[in-house]
Amino acid sequence: MPPIQWLLTSLFVSHVVGDFYLQSNRLCQQKQEKKALSPFMYLHAALMGILAWAMVPQSGFVICALGIAVTHLAIDMGKAHVRHGIAAFVIDQLLHIAVLVVVALLYVPQAMLPLQWLAHVFPISFILLVLGMMVAGKPTNILIKLILEKYQIGSNESCREIKNAGALIGNLERVLTIIFVLIGRYEAVGFIIAAKSILRFKDTDTPKTEYVLAGTFLSFGIAVIIGLVIDWLSCRL
């Protein structure tokens, strides 16, 4: 894999870890409510720069890491002043990724990156699988939640009671789906969808049934796409 792809992959890993797994919903809400007065707004941006440098631990990358931190802060500040929703989430993530792409195009690594050393121990397909699983976890949960909210699916009390369990089940089913896609067992994916649908067939709570089915199709659809992307990249890197 060319150096620029290793660099971009490393930066993407740092972004996924820092922007999703190292900040809680409560802290995200604090940023949205307090905006520039939120201490976590600045701490989070600094953490993103530190994580980027940790994935590219080279003296020449310090300026780039600082640039990532500053632009991350600016983007998050802008997001805090707009209405929270699926559009804000997607635009926010696209802007962050655009910054990482620019950095990857401008910076030339002076030595092997940690991920490159890791590739000497594990095959590239395994590294891509781990990254895919990370994307299929919390980031996908947030995306599905925002899509369902936009179309007002699952807004009643009975649906709120199962949302936490739904997120956990969604994570598990996406992991299985990605694995089945990678080994070419698409019929197993269909079996899981059918089994889950049958379990909800006798549920007389229509809003809950709609919430589960909509979330299920979104979850499996995203997982299939992730699996296909991993398979495509594994064959070409």
Side-chain angles (χ1 to χ4, degrees), residues 114-186:
L115 275 187
Q116 288 176 280
W117 288 107
L118 191 62
H120 289 296
V121 181
F122 301 101
I124 185 63
S125 56
F126 176 79
I127 297 175
L128 292 173
L129 175 62
V130 172
L131 179 57
M133 294 298 186
M134 290 170 59
V135 174
K138 190 174 179 180
T140 300
N141 280 335
I142 294 174
L143 178 62
I144 292 174
K145 176 184 175 182
L146 292 173
I147 293 175
L148 295 179
E149 286 179 355
K150 177 177 175 60
Y151 294 99
Q152 298 181 344
I153 301 174
S155 57
N156 65 334
E157 187 62 35
S158 63
C159 294
R160 283 192 286 271
E161 294 172 356
I162 64 171
K163 284 185 177 179
N164 290 334
L168 176 60
I169 293 172
N171 287 337
L172 294 174
E173 68 192 17
R174 285 192 294 276
V175 168
L176 290 174
T177 300
I178 290 173
I179 292 174
F180 288 142
V181 168
L182 292 177
I183 63 177
R185 303 306 299 267
Y186 293 95

Side-chain angles (χ1 to χ4, degrees), residues 40-224:
F40 183 69
M41 181 78 75
Y42 305 94
L43 178 61
H44 174 67
L47 178 62
M48 297 305 295
I50 293 171
L51 287 173
W53 184 82
M55 295 301 295
V56 190
Q58 300 175 8
S59 59
F61 191 75
V62 172
I63 299 299
C64 293
L66 181 60
I68 290 173
V70 172
T71 53
H72 198 98
L73 176 63
I75 294 169
D76 280 5
M77 284 282 192
K79 182 186 176 185
H81 287 84
V82 300
R83 182 180 177 183
H84 181 66
I86 180 65
F89 174 78
V90 172
I91 294 173
D92 171 74
Q93 291 303 311
L94 288 177
L95 289 174
H96 288 314
I97 292 173
V99 171
L100 301 183
V101 171
V102 170
V103 170
L105 290 172
L106 294 177
Y107 182 76
V108 179
Q110 304 303 310
M112 290 184 66
L113 304 177
L115 275 187
Q116 288 176 280
W117 288 107
L118 191 62
H120 289 296
V121 181
F122 301 101
I124 185 63
S125 56
F126 176 79
I127 297 175
L128 292 173
L129 175 62
V130 172
L131 179 57
M133 294 298 186
M134 290 170 59
V135 174
K138 190 174 179 180
T140 300
N141 280 335
I142 294 174
L143 178 62
I144 292 174
K145 176 184 175 182
L146 292 173
I147 293 175
L148 295 179
E149 286 179 355
K150 177 177 175 60
Y151 294 99
Q152 298 181 344
I153 301 174
S155 57
N156 65 334
E157 187 62 35
S158 63
C159 294
R160 283 192 286 271
E161 294 172 356
I162 64 171
K163 284 185 177 179
N164 290 334
L168 176 60
I169 293 172
N171 287 337
L172 294 174
E173 68 192 17
R174 285 192 294 276
V175 168
L176 290 174
T177 300
I178 290 173
I179 292 174
F180 288 142
V181 168
L182 292 177
I183 63 177
R185 303 306 299 267
Y186 293 95
E187 68 277 9
V189 177
F191 175 79
I192 297 176
I193 296 176
K196 190 174 181 180
S197 300
I198 291 173
L199 289 175
R200 307 303 307 182
F201 183 73
K202 294 182 179 180
D203 199 329
T204 56
D205 189 339
T206 302
K208 185 188 292 185
T209 301
E210 291 176 347
Y211 172 77
V212 172
L213 290 178
T216 295
F217 286 124
L218 282 170
S219 181
F220 278 102
I222 294 172
V224 168

Side-chain angles (χ1 to χ4, degrees), residues 213-236:
L213 290 178
T216 295
F217 286 124
L218 282 170
S219 181
F220 278 102
I222 294 172
V224 168
I225 292 173
I226 292 174
L228 291 174
V229 170
I230 294 173
D231 184 55
W232 184 82
L233 290 174
S234 297
C235 295
R236 287 161 176 79

